Amino acid sequence: MQKPDVPTMHLVSYFVALDEARGELLLVAHRRAGLWLPSGGHVEPMEDPWETVLRECCEELRTEAVPSGVSGKNPFFLTVTRTRGQGQHTDVSLWYVLTSEAGDIASFDEDEFEAIKWLSLQQVLAEPGDTLDPHMHRFTSKLMAALARGSDLGTPAGR
């Protein structure tokens, strides 16, 4: 198996578990990155990015991936980021929104993550930017706007 920095650009599927009733997102303390991030992983050769979400959600959070009404099985957000630390590379990340309830996710991959925590959307925005994925505040603001549009219409956003 090659190191994560080969090749220099990677396609990544991030997935953000959203407890819509509580207005909370799940973030993980990623050991290697040293940041609070959404869960996710590199898309394997010949793998559809949504299949990556299904696989990684089972591996990392020990639960089934259920697409949110915000964007269904389609990416909600796209970012390009240079990673930190040893083995730096560029991640092109597709961000998916999953529906979940905070109590449904109790275990996680402890080899990859130090901890997990549910934060309200406002708490995410209040977190210092240097402790999160560099695009987390922008993602959260976009998600808040989509959720507000959905509630204005009386239907889940994106439908």
Side-chain angles (χ1 to χ4, degrees), residues 91-154:
D91 282 343
V92 177
S93 302
L94 303 171
W95 295 52
Y96 294 85
V97 181
L98 304 180
T99 189
S100 186
E101 291 183 17
D104 290 346
I105 300 175
S107 93
F108 58 92
D109 181 350
E110 293 184 23
D111 291 335
E112 194 162 351
F113 311 134
E114 292 179 33
I116 61 173
K117 66 180 174 181
W118 288 89
L119 295 171
S120 72
L121 300 171
Q122 293 78 13
Q123 287 174 315
V124 172
L125 293 175
E127 286 286 317
D130 62 353
T131 65
L132 304 170
D133 177 282
H135 305 284
M136 197 70 221
H137 286 149
R138 204 163 45 94
F139 167 84
T140 303
S141 295
K142 181 178 178 180
L143 180 60
M144 289 173 76
L147 292 170
R149 280 192 310 275
S151 64
D152 290 344
L153 302 172

Side-chain angles (χ1 to χ4, degrees), residues 10-22:
H10 297 199
L11 182 59
V12 173
S13 288
Y14 261 164
F15 48 94
V16 181
L18 169 66
D19 184 327
E20 198 166 340
R22 293 170 51 146

Side-chain angles (χ1 to χ4, degrees), residues 8-88:
T8 58
M9 189 171 288
H10 297 199
L11 182 59
V12 173
S13 288
Y14 261 164
F15 48 94
V16 181
L18 169 66
D19 184 327
E20 198 166 340
R22 293 170 51 146
E24 294 182 346
L25 300 179
L26 179 71
L27 296 179
V28 298
H30 196 277
R31 291 184 187 279
R32 187 163 183 210
L35 296 170
W36 286 93
L37 308 171
S39 299
H42 293 99
V43 178
E44 299 293 331
M46 305 305 292
E47 184 176 49
D48 180 273
W50 175 251
E51 291 172 359
T52 304
V53 172
L54 296 173
R55 176 177 53 78
E56 291 283 350
C57 193
C58 286
E59 290 174 9
E60 294 182 352
L61 300 179
R62 319 281 192 250
T63 191
E64 179 183 347
V66 178
S68 169
V70 171
S71 60
K73 294 181 181 178
N74 298 314
F76 178 73
F77 198 63
L78 170 77
T79 58
V80 178
T81 310
R82 185 82 181 144
T83 62
R84 299 171 17 157
Q86 187 176 3
Q88 289 186 1

